[in-house]
């Protein structure tokens, strides 16, 4: 079987310093957009409540997804979708974990995000996990 067609597990973590409600609302928005991809499965872990005694906004709240993607082209599509989704936010970070490789994206400069994504995709392509086709 061609590696490009094998299912790929992706861990995705979104963090936002604006609190649990904002983080969960934003993650639900992302989940709606992820429905466009050929997902094999998706599991959402809502953000845990902040520790007792913390003030709202004083810590970053995280929410996570575990995705099963149908092959390497879906990885590329996921990264581009997440990059676009994050570009529409003023705060927050996203971490993608794919087979021990990690990509961290922050709301901020589109040019910097594009450079980071291109380097990450090139690395995945060199390992055969984000090829453009099933060759």
């Amino acid at each position: 079987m061609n590696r490009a067609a094998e299912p790929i597990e992706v861990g995705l973590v979104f963090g936002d310093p604006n609190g649990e409600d904002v983080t969960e609302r934003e993650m639900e928005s992302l989940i709606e957009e992820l429905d466009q991809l050929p997902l094999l499965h998706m599991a959402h872990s809502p953000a845990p409540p902040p520790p007792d005694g913390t003030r709202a906004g004083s810590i970053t709240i995280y929410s996570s997804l575990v995705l099963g993607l149908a092959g390497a082209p879906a990885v590329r599509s996921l990264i581009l979708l997440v990059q676009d989704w994050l570009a529409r936010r003023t705060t927050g970070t996203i971490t993608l974990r794919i087979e021990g490789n990690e990509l961290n994206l922050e709301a901020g400069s589109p040019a910097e995000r594009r450079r980071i994504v291109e380097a990450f995709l090139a690395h995945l392509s060199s390992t055969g996990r984000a090829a453009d086709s099933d060759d």
Side-chain angles (χ1 to χ4, degrees):
M1 177 187 273
N2 186 330
R3 277 182 64 104
E6 293 175 13
I8 300 170
E9 293 291 317
V10 177
L12 188 148
V13 178
F14 172 67
D16 194 301
N18 292 320
E20 182 179 359
D21 291 340
V22 171
T23 300
E24 283 308 307
R25 238 185 353 261
E26 293 294 345
M27 185 58 90
E28 291 298 325
S29 164
L30 178 58
I31 289 169
E32 287 177 19
E33 293 190 35
L34 290 171
D35 281 338
Q36 302 171 39
L37 298 178
L39 299 177
L40 300 174
H41 63 83
M42 178 177 2
H44 177 215
S45 297
D52 288 337
T54 58
R55 296 178 307 146
S58 65
I59 61 172
T60 297
I61 303 295
Y62 295 94
S63 186
S64 64
L65 296 171
V66 175
L67 308 173
L69 299 176
V75 171
R76 181 178 294 276
S77 296
L78 170 67
I79 292 172
L80 295 174
L81 183 145
V82 167
Q83 180 184 16
D84 178 63
W85 179 84
L86 189 59
R88 291 179 266 140
R89 272 120 198 99
T90 56
T91 63
T93 60
I94 288 198
T95 302
L96 287 103
R97 290 185 187 96
I98 304 170
E99 297 182 342
N101 298 291
E102 190 170 289
L103 172 63
N104 294 302
L105 297 171
E106 296 181 7
S109 164
E112 181 67 12
R113 270 194 315 275
R114 191 169 26 260
R115 184 190 64 74
I116 291 168
V117 166
E118 288 171 3
F120 186 74
L121 287 171
H123 172 74
L124 290 178
S125 288
S126 72
T127 64
R129 299 312 284 173
D132 285 326
S133 68
D134 291 340
D135 299 330

